[in-house]
């Protein structure tokens, strides 16, 4: 820590001197990049190399097609990790495996049927962590639809013995997710026998979106947006609905898995690190190409690009391919435990777990000084790629354990050009237009997230390579700064 401060104070003094001299000589930002012409040259090389390859896409397509869904505790995840490891070796890179104990939730068979006012199959996706229906049998119950937790409170006397259906409006993922997380817990308090939650998504084609739910003593599952809307209409007309629900969901003992770590050791300060990564696990119904095979593989690709150009950063750059982000975040927690001695030596941690479309920058959580530095760096080195924006202040789940201890953190941001101006898109719903933009909360990412439709065709080779290029430039240039990012 002392070293860091001495280093940063001398850096700031030099910056001030160079700033006052620069007024005449240097028209643009006069931080240390101008003394380091290599930064621009190396960034160009990285971007050029990235754009002349399809490596990330080809590997991700092979991995998702061949191994499919990769929930923690599954053999598919372990096979995908093994294959990934072998491919990383082929790049001439080393891989470290850091063991992680992960939970093992199993969906089993499940179905729901509307029995009245007509018979209809109701598509469901049991929520991760849910229990099954009692005694291994189907349950049959009448339905109560509510559109919010407020309405649940108002109608709490009607809940007993019913299946509660949440027909909540999508107001962005982070806002609406509360129905999936706590809907069952709240309904069970008033005597509900099950909870069905409208899929947390702005858009539906009879798609069910699974995801984690907090432990409850009643089963819970996602239903489609279309069915939730129909149940709501039926209730408004006074039509009684009855549903048969069957779920075998259960939790097995924890299993061993591992985080994969790929590094290029720093030439001057190998003990200081720039960390970035995504997660290898996915939900059991999703190939997890977007969430988050893409994030894991562009992180690996960023290291591969730097390595293939023979570039060696001053500090160590490290990609972490986490496991168990989806249902427990044990990979992120274990990384924190294994690397706690490095917190003061970690310049920044960046996660890419919000899609890998057109990169536009990072959301940053850290000091004002560090933010200014990154803003300049982004403009200088990533402006041309359109990937240099620094805004926001959020970070990803896997790195949250180190972020909460004061390590500067970033979340890699991309935009899906298919969605464009969300506020004017009549296919999407939002309660308070115009929705702020650009905001990935409303991007096409959440059309497919945690569904069977999260497949490789949603991604493009070019976008993945641009993401890898942007990540590589961020990581490499931050690793080459004179100091660790100021706290
Ligand atoms: C992964 O590789 C290890 C080491 O070669 C092997 O022991 C293990 O069985 C493999 N796992 C699977 C699921 O194939
Ligand atoms: C890291 O820095 C903090 C803040 O100065 C200090 O309290 C802590 O002891 C340091 N930890 C290590 C492992 O050096
Ligand atoms: C970065 O993005 C934010 C959020 O969209 C925007 O408000 C800001 O103007 C952008 N900054 C630059 C320098 O483009
Ligand atoms: Zn994810």
């Amino acid at each position: 820590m002392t070293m860091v401060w001495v280093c940063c104070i001398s850096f700031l003094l030099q910056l001030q001197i160079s700033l006052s001299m620069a007024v005449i000589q240097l028209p643009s930002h006069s931080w240390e990049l101008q003394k380091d012409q290599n930064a621009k040259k190396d960034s160009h090389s990285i971007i050029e190399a990235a754009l002349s390859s399809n490596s990330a896409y080809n590997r991700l397509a092979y991995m998702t097609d061949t191994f499919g869904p990769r929930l923690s505790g599954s053999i598919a995840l372990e096979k995908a990790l093994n294959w990934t490891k072998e491919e990383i070796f082929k790049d001439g890179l080393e891989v470290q495996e850091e063991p992680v104990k992960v939970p093992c939730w199993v969906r089993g068979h499940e179905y729901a049927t509307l029995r009245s006012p007509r018979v209809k199959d109701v598509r469901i996706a049991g929520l991760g962590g849910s229990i099954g229906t009692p005694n291994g049998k189907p349950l049959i119950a009448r339905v109560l639809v509510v559109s919010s937790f407020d309405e649940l409170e108002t109608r709490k006397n009607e809940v007993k013995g019913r299946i509660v259906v949440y027909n909540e409006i999508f107001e962005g993922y982070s806002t609406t997710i509360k129905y999936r997380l706590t809907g069952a817990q709240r309904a069970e308090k008033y005597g509900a026998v099950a909870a069905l939650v409208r899929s947390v998504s702005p858009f539906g084609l009879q798609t069910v979106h699974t995801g984690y739910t907090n432990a409850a003593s009643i089963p819970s599952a996602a239903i489609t947006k279309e069915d939730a809307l129909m149940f709501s209409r039926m209730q408004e007309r006074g039509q009684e609905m009855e549903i048969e629900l069957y779920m075998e969901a259960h939790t097995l003992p924890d299993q061993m898995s591992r985080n994969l770590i790929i590094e290029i050791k720093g030439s001057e300060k190998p003990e200081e690190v720039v960390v970035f990564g995504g997660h290898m696990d996915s939900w059991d119904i999703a190939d997890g190409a977007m969430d988050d095979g893409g994030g894991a593989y562009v992180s690996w690709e960023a290291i591969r690009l730097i390595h293939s150009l023979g570039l060696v950063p001053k500090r160590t750059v490290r990609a972490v391919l986490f496991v168990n982000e989806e249902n427990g975040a044990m990979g992120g927690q274990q990384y924190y435990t294994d690397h706690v001695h490095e917190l003061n030596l970690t310049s920044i941690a960046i996660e890419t777990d919000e899609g890998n479309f057109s990169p536009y920058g990072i959301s940053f959580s850290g000091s004002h000084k560090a933010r200014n530095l990154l803003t300049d760096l982004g403009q200088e080195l990533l402006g041309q790629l359109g990937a240099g924006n620094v805004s926001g202040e959020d970070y990803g789940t896997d790195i949250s354990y180190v972020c909460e201890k004061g390590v500067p953190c970033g979340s890699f941001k991309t935009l899906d050009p298919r969605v464009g101006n969300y506020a004017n898109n009549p296919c999407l719903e939002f309660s308070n237009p115009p929705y702020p933009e650009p905001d990935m909360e409303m991007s096409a990412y959440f059309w497919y997230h945690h569904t069977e439709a999260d497949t490789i065709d949603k991604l493009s080779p070019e976008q993945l390579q641009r993401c890898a290029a942007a990540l590589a430039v961020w990581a490499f240039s931050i690793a080459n700064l004179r100091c660790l990012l100021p706290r």
Side-chain angles (χ1 to χ4, degrees), residues 1 5 340-344:
M1 196 60 204
W5 277 107
V340 70
H341 58 284
E342 281 180 334
L343 292 185
N344 289 352

Side-chain angles (χ1 to χ4, degrees), residues 279 291-292 325-326 353 445 449-450:
H279 66 88
D291 184 15
D292 185 29
E325 190 276 343
E326 296 294 3
D353 187 18
Y445 182 76
H449 173 258
H450 296 185

Side-chain angles (χ1 to χ4, degrees), residues 5-46:
W5 277 107
V6 170
C7 172
C8 281
I9 288 164
S10 73
F11 159 69
L12 289 171
L13 284 175
Q14 285 187 26
L15 182 65
Q16 262 189 342
I17 294 163
S18 73
L19 269 174
S20 47
M21 287 167 40
V23 174
I24 311 155
Q25 295 161 343
L26 303 166
S28 64
H29 305 277
S30 73
W31 68 294
E32 60 188 281
L33 272 182
Q34 296 204 324
K35 284 171 246 133
D36 185 3
Q37 282 309 312
N38 286 337
K40 278 209 141 163
K41 197 173 86 288
D42 293 343
S43 303
H44 279 300
S45 309
I46 290 170

Side-chain angles (χ1 to χ4, degrees), residues 360 379 389-391 437-438:
Y360 83 91
Q379 265 168 20
N389 185 290
V390 178
S391 53
E437 64 170 321

Side-chain angles (χ1 to χ4, degrees), residues 295-318:
Y297 274 34
V298 297
S299 301
W300 161 22
E301 177 67 359
I303 296 277
R304 188 191 71 81
L305 288 166
I306 297 169
H307 176 74
S308 73
L309 292 165
L311 297 173
V312 181
K314 287 183 194 160
R315 293 182 185 76
T316 296
V317 291
R318 174 186 298 162

